[in-house]
Amino acid sequence: MADLNGKNVLIISTEFGTEQAEIETPRDFLLAAGASVTVATPDGGTIQTVISDRDPADQVSADTTIADVADSDFDALVVPGGTVNADTLRQDKDAVALARRFATAGKPIAAICHAPWLLVEAGLTIGKTLTSFPSLRSDLNNAGATWVDREVVADDTNGFTLITSRNPDDLDAFDSTLAETLEKAGAAAGSGR
């Protein structure tokens, strides 16, 4: 199990349409590894998750609004999928600006399933190799990325890391790659690099 004590991770979502496993599994994994996790939504409201984009599932409480978080308080950003969530989130100017600030600061962004739509909107895909739910392939290629069909991809080019996965079946690889990336960043910071 990863040791993420002292790491602060932000998860952003809208209040409806987030795939249940894609928000709960990373959150629970990070908490079990010792990280602090903050969940933010546009309005700070409770998230109604779904299964397979249509069946209502658990509700997840938000801690704050996206506009009220400072990227300097966090070590990584996690963006869960769900078609409605991802499509709505990419239209939120605060979410787009936040993703850009994480990238500019060199902090990892992990996006699963349809969530790479936010990366496209933020202009973060150019020159990157990514994966996603297969229906985003053309969107990502048209936005300057190279799309591949793998369970997880961690691309650390251009000064920041994007971690992407295709769907809930890839969550084990997604979570462990995020943890490895955070541990590696901690080791590099500890060695004075």
Side-chain angles (χ1 to χ4, degrees), residues 1 4 7 9-13 18-40 46-47 49 58-63 77-80 110 112 171 174-176 178 182:
M1 172 60 85
L4 299 180
K7 298 294 183 184
V9 179
L10 177 64
I11 299 175
I12 61 171
S13 170
T18 304
E19 191 67 29
Q20 176 186 1
E22 294 173 5
I23 190 168
E24 290 183 348
T25 303
R27 178 200 62 196
D28 295 348
F29 174 88
L30 291 162
L31 290 170
S36 295
V37 177
T38 300
V39 177
T46 300
I47 300 161
T49 69
D58 294 344
Q59 292 191 341
V60 174
S61 296
D63 301 301
L77 174 64
V78 175
V79 189
I112 187 167
L171 279 163
F174 181 77
D175 292 343
S176 62
L178 175 58
L182 284 167

Side-chain angles (χ1 to χ4, degrees), residues 18-20 49-57:
T18 304
E19 191 67 29
Q20 176 186 1
T49 69
V50 293
I51 297 173
S52 299
D53 273 335
R54 54 186 176 273
D55 298 322

